[in-house]
């Protein structure tokens, strides 16, 4: 950079110094920033260059005053225009080397060793503009670690069980700084367990180390017999309809159910609810049960856990905005789920015991035949209220089951023991 640019920077400092600007300093946490445009680290005179900073260089911010940021970069401290910096976003990484990874002051050979990160600990890692190196933070220890010493961690859902909650610290030690606390019964994602300490992240992005003995696994609902129906002493059966609501097909289904004084359970998709809110309200007001069938019907085991949760949560919110309450059950599209999805649910997960395959053959007589051959006391029958052929088959199905002496109940009524 040419001398006139240095002079311009100095003039900028002098001009903005007349304005009353707030000083921003790092408090409990180290403020990490990334360089957004090429600049120079200047000495206290705001003219003499100390180092060249390329885009994506990671720096430690000490404070900002009058448009200038006091920063630290590879052991050197100086100033850059604050507009050349922005907050850097870290990624959680696991120290996975054979020996505790060395934290270095720079990425050059024979550089100063600042300390070591314990094996199996979690660090906040920042991508740099230097290949094969991360800038990391572990408590108050910051510096560079070779990329091969880190790997992406896996997580497990757990629950805070301590009545008084858990103290969150910046390192896996009681000597670590007290960052905050997490209340009892809070769900957390656990990324590692090291010498009795667990690194956790909450939904509100509170993160750090807590005592591992203050956590417990989230109880998984014991749904077994309920998920695919339950044998009952009386002739009770649950009719279920997936993928709706549909503006015309669902309306016909509702009329037929009313004719036989039958109650059913509708596992709705959020995107269809969004298009036909009036139909959803009609289902609910007719006394039928509403279940969640995700927003857009993806196979949940093929998307990330966060995407799966979003599919469920968005549907819950949309349904609640229309009928005043969230769905009381959940059915995964294609019947695909895993332990993580199941553990995150606050309502029962419901499968089926009789699959009519109405979506496949689209033939009313075949739908009826599937019910006739498969129905039993306590069974859950799967159909879809988006196909006209299913609506056309329903009258015959209800007529047959009525003659067999069945009572039509919602899924929740079916799986709740009669007192």
């Amino acid at each position: 950079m040419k001398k006139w640019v240095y002079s311009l920077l100095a003039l900028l400092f002098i001009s903005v110094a007349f304005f009353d600007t707030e000083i921003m300093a790092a408090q409990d946490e180290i403020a990490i920033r990334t360089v957004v445009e090429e600049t120079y680290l200047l000495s206290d005179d705001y003219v003499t260059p100390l180092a060249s900073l390329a885009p994506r260089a990671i720096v430690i911010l000490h404070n900002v005053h009058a448009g200038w940021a006091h920063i630290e970069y590879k052991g050197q401290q100086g100033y850059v225009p604050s507009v050349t910096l922005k907050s850097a976003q870290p990624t959680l990484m696991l120290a996975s080397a054979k020996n505790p990874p060395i934290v270095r002051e720079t990425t050059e050979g024979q550089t100063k060793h600042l300390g070591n990160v314990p094996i199996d600990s979690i660090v906040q890692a920042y991508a740099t503009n230097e290949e094969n190196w991360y800038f990391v933070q572990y408590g108050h220890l910051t510096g560079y670690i070779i990329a091969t010493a880190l790997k992406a961690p896996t997580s497990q859902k757990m629950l805070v069980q301590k009545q008084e909650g858990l103290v969150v610290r910046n390192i896996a030690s009681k000597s670590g700084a007290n960052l905050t606390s997490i209340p009892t019964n809070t769900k957390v994602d656990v990324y590692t367990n090291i010498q009795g300490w667990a690194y956790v992240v909450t939904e509100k992005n509170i993160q750090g180390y807590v005592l591992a003995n203050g956590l417990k696994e989230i109880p998984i609902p014991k749904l077994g017999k309920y998920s695919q129906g339950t044998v009952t002493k009386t002739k009770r059966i649950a009719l279920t309809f997936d993928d709706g609501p549909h503006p015309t097909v669902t309306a016909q289904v509702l009329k037929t159910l009313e004719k036989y004084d039958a109650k059913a359970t509708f596992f709705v998709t959020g995107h269809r609810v969004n298009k036909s809110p009036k139909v959803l309200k009609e289902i609910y007001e007719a006394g039928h049960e509403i279940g969640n069938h995700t927003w857009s019907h993806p196979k949940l085991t093929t998307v990330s856990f966060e995407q799966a949760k979003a599919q469920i949560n968005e549907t819950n919110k949309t349904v609640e905005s229309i009928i005043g309450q969230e769905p009381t059950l959940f059915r995964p599209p294609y019947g695909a789920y895993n332990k993580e999805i199941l553990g995150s649910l606050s309502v029962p997960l419901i499968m089926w015991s009789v699959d009519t395959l109405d979506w496949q053959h689209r033939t009313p007589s075949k739908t009826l035949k599937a019910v006739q051959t498969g129905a039993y006391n306590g069974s859950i029958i799967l159909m879809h209220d988006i196909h006209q052929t299913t609506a056309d088959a329903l009258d015959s199905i209800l007529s047959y089951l009525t003659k067999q002496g069945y009572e039509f109940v919602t899924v929740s009524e079916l799986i709740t023991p009669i007192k």
Side-chain angles (χ1 to χ4, degrees), residues 5-20:
V5 177
Y6 304 150
S7 300
L8 181 60
L9 290 174
L11 181 61
L12 174 63
F13 168 72
I14 294 170
S15 62
V16 298
F18 289 102
F19 294 93
D20 182 19

Side-chain angles (χ1 to χ4, degrees), residues 165-218:
L166 290 176
V167 173
V168 182
R169 301 188 183 277
N170 64 346
I171 60 173
S173 170
K174 286 187 177 180
S175 63
N178 182 340
L179 302 178
T180 184
S181 62
I182 303 176
T184 186
N185 292 324
T186 300
K187 287 183 180 180
V188 298
D189 290 303
V190 179
Y191 286 88
T192 191
N193 194 319
I194 170 176
Q195 299 178 355
W197 291 86
Y199 192 93
V200 302
V201 179
T202 71
E203 290 184 352
K204 295 182 179 180
N205 203 33
I206 295 173
Q207 54 185 289
Y209 289 91
V210 301
L211 288 171
N213 62 11
L215 301 172
K216 67 177 181 180
E217 290 190 3
I218 297 175

Side-chain angles (χ1 to χ4, degrees), residues 84-100:
T84 62
L85 305 177
K86 72 173 183 179
S87 294
Q89 299 303 314
T91 300
L92 296 182
M93 299 289 280
L94 180 73
S96 60
K98 292 182 179 179
N99 299 307

Side-chain angles (χ1 to χ4, degrees), residues 145 179 320:
I145 285 183
L179 302 178
E320 184 178 23

Side-chain angles (χ1 to χ4, degrees), residues 133-411:
W133 289 92
Y134 280 104
F135 187 88
V136 304
Q137 179 182 354
Y138 177 75
H140 291 290
L141 176 62
T142 59
Y144 294 88
I145 285 183
I146 191 74
T148 53
L150 304 174
K151 72 175 183 180
T154 57
S155 65
Q156 176 189 2
K157 280 281 184 188
M158 297 192 77
L159 200 67
V160 175
Q161 65 174 344
K162 288 284 186 181
Q163 190 66 33
E164 65 274 20
L166 290 176
V167 173
V168 182
R169 301 188 183 277
N170 64 346
I171 60 173
S173 170
K174 286 187 177 180
S175 63
N178 182 340
L179 302 178
T180 184
S181 62
I182 303 176
T184 186
N185 292 324
T186 300
K187 287 183 180 180
V188 298
D189 290 303
V190 179
Y191 286 88
T192 191
N193 194 319
I194 170 176
Q195 299 178 355
W197 291 86
Y199 192 93
V200 302
V201 179
T202 71
E203 290 184 352
K204 295 182 179 180
N205 203 33
I206 295 173
Q207 54 185 289
Y209 289 91
V210 301
L211 288 171
N213 62 11
L215 301 172
K216 67 177 181 180
E217 290 190 3
I218 297 175
I220 296 176
K222 296 182 183 296
L223 298 173
K225 62 180 181 180
Y226 293 156
S227 66
Q228 295 182 349
T230 178
V231 176
T232 58
K233 293 180 181 179
T234 57
K235 302 192 77 168
R236 308 171 88 219
I237 206 164
L239 304 173
T240 66
F241 298 91
D242 286 11
D243 297 357
H246 186 281
T248 57
V249 177
T250 303
Q252 182 178 334
V253 167
L254 289 175
K255 287 182 181 179
T256 306
L257 290 171
E258 183 181 14
K259 175 181 175 182
Y260 289 88
D261 193 24
K263 292 294 179 279
T265 301
F266 291 78
F267 289 95
V268 300
T269 55
H271 78 104
R272 287 189 181 273
V273 168
N274 207 33
K275 292 178 180 178
S276 304
K278 183 179 177 181
V279 181
L280 178 74
K281 198 168 184 180
E282 290 173 352
I283 295 172
Y284 179 71
E285 290 178 347
H288 304 294
E289 186 170 24
I290 308 297
N292 185 326
H293 200 43
T294 73
W295 182 267
S296 57
H297 206 272
K299 190 174 184 179
L300 295 182
T301 52
T302 65
V303 301
S304 71
F305 178 59
E306 292 302 318
Q307 290 173 319
K309 284 202 304 183
Q311 284 276 335
I312 298 168
N313 292 341
E314 284 305 308
T315 301
N316 281 341
K317 291 177 185 177
T318 302
V319 169
E320 184 178 23
S321 70
I322 296 169
I323 65 172
Q325 70 172 50
E326 292 186 353
T328 50
L329 305 167
F330 174 72
R331 174 176 282 169
Y334 312 101
Y337 66 95
N338 53 35
K339 182 178 179 181
E340 192 174 29
I341 292 169
L342 186 59
S344 71
L345 297 174
S346 58
V347 298
L349 182 146
I350 303 299
M351 300 293 275
W352 55 87
S353 49
V354 179
D355 187 351
T356 62
L357 296 177
D358 59 336
W359 60 272
Q360 188 178 73
H361 52 69
R362 311 284 181 92
T363 306
S365 61
K366 289 184 178 181
T367 303
L368 172 61
K369 185 67 175 178
V371 173
Q372 290 172 330
T373 57
Y376 59 87
N377 296 359
S379 59
I380 298 175
I381 299 176
L382 170 62
M383 293 179 282
H384 299 78
D385 60 322
I386 58 171
H387 303 306
Q388 183 60 49
T389 49
T390 299
D392 294 341
L394 188 58
D395 194 289
S396 297
I397 290 171
L398 290 173
S399 176
Y400 168 79
L401 292 173
T402 299
K403 291 176 183 177
Q404 300 301 309
Y406 283 105
E407 177 190 3
F408 306 106
V409 297
T410 66
V411 169

